[in-house]
Amino acid sequence: EGDGANLVAARDGTDIGFEVIAGEPIVSKGQPVFEGELLVGGLIDSEHFGYRAVEAEGRVFALTEYVFEAEIPYEYTVKIPEKKEICEISMIFFGFRQKFFKKGGFLGSEYDKIYSDIYIYSKDGVKVPVGISVVSYPIYTESIASRTCKEAADLAHFEINRQILAALPDAEIVSKSYEIGETEDASAYRLVCRVSCIDDIALPVPFYINRSE
């Protein structure tokens, strides 16, 4: 934490309005702003008390642009399960687990472990806190599959929309434009989306005051 904080532009844009809670606005409506430029100052000149430092707070809305990209390969690897191998069995007794079988060898992170707990039930359907825990892993074979251009395009649009929702949850989308193509080796469908939107670009940056004489 510093002595105060400014609000600076997180990216380029055109200022279209602001909601300042604390601090002094520096830019005006309709003014182009650039990444790193001061938007709201945290050093305020008071007529009666001189300069004082505050933490600038608020939102600065700007018309700005984001670029999102997605590449979907036409060929991909699929795993086909062949069988399930049991590698560990434990006894469950009132919350405690006692291992009594473990297959030798080490399973690397590439294996998908499946955990299953099997409990005993009374005639009335009440679960008894005694059972068996089984850890198993499926054994796969790998195969190369392919997708059509339309399937790749659908996946690319889905991925672009996912990225937009994650990056711009509160932004107002003004327009979108797309560039459609393929990678240089023609092995993947490539989609580029340019999003024009109204977003809060204010980024708080602390500052320090040198008080040395």
Side-chain angles (χ1 to χ4, degrees):
E1 295 184 0
D3 297 307
N6 296 318
L7 294 181
V8 304
R11 58 192 303 109
D12 297 350
T14 301
D15 180 24
I16 63 169
F18 44 80
E19 298 173 356
V20 176
I21 298 173
E24 183 176 351
I26 305 299
V27 296
S28 56
K29 187 174 181 179
Q31 177 183 337
V33 295
F34 303 94
E35 183 178 349
E37 184 175 346
L38 181 62
L39 303 176
V40 180
L43 194 62
I44 299 176
D45 184 8
S46 171
E47 181 180 350
H48 301 287
F49 302 103
Y51 286 96
R52 62 189 179 93
V54 300
E55 291 190 2
E57 185 180 354
R59 299 189 295 175
V60 179
F61 299 99
L63 181 63
T64 186
E65 184 180 90
Y66 290 79
V67 179
F68 301 93
E69 299 182 13
E71 291 183 0
I72 306 297
Y74 294 121
E75 290 189 347
Y76 59 100
T77 302
V78 294
K79 289 182 176 181
I80 303 173
E82 284 193 335
K83 62 179 181 178
K84 190 162 62 175
E85 184 90 9
I86 294 177
C87 61
E88 196 173 287
I89 301 177
S90 301
M91 174 69 73
I92 304 172
F93 187 75
F94 289 88
F96 295 95
R97 296 171 186 261
Q98 179 61 51
K99 195 181 303 177
F100 64 85
F101 171 80
K102 182 176 182 180
K103 189 180 175 82
F106 173 74
L107 291 179
S109 58
E110 69 272 13
Y111 286 92
D112 299 324
K113 288 187 178 181
I114 300 173
Y115 297 85
S116 303
D117 290 343
I118 304 169
Y119 285 94
I120 298 172
Y121 287 82
S122 67
K123 292 182 180 180
D124 300 327
V126 178
K127 184 172 74 173
V128 178
V130 176
I132 293 177
S133 175
V134 179
V135 180
S136 59
Y137 64 93
I139 297 176
Y140 297 99
T141 58
E142 292 187 346
S143 177
I144 300 297
S146 60
R147 54 174 63 97
T148 64
C149 182
K150 183 181 182 307
E151 290 171 337
D154 290 342
L155 287 173
H157 279 277
F158 178 85
E159 171 60 19
I160 290 290
N161 289 332
R162 185 197 66 79
Q163 292 180 27
I164 292 173
L165 286 173
L168 307 173
D170 302 316
E172 179 184 341
I173 305 298
V174 177
S175 65
K176 297 178 185 177
S177 62
Y178 294 93
E179 297 176 14
I180 300 172
E182 292 183 325
T183 54
E184 290 186 3
D185 59 1
S187 65
Y189 182 96
R190 185 169 185 269
L191 182 65
V192 178
C193 179
R194 298 183 183 278
V195 177
S196 178
C197 65
I198 298 172
D199 195 19
D200 176 16
I201 64 169
L203 177 68
V205 176
F207 62 80
Y208 301 86
I209 298 174
N210 186 359
R211 294 182 173 83
S212 61
E213 295 181 357

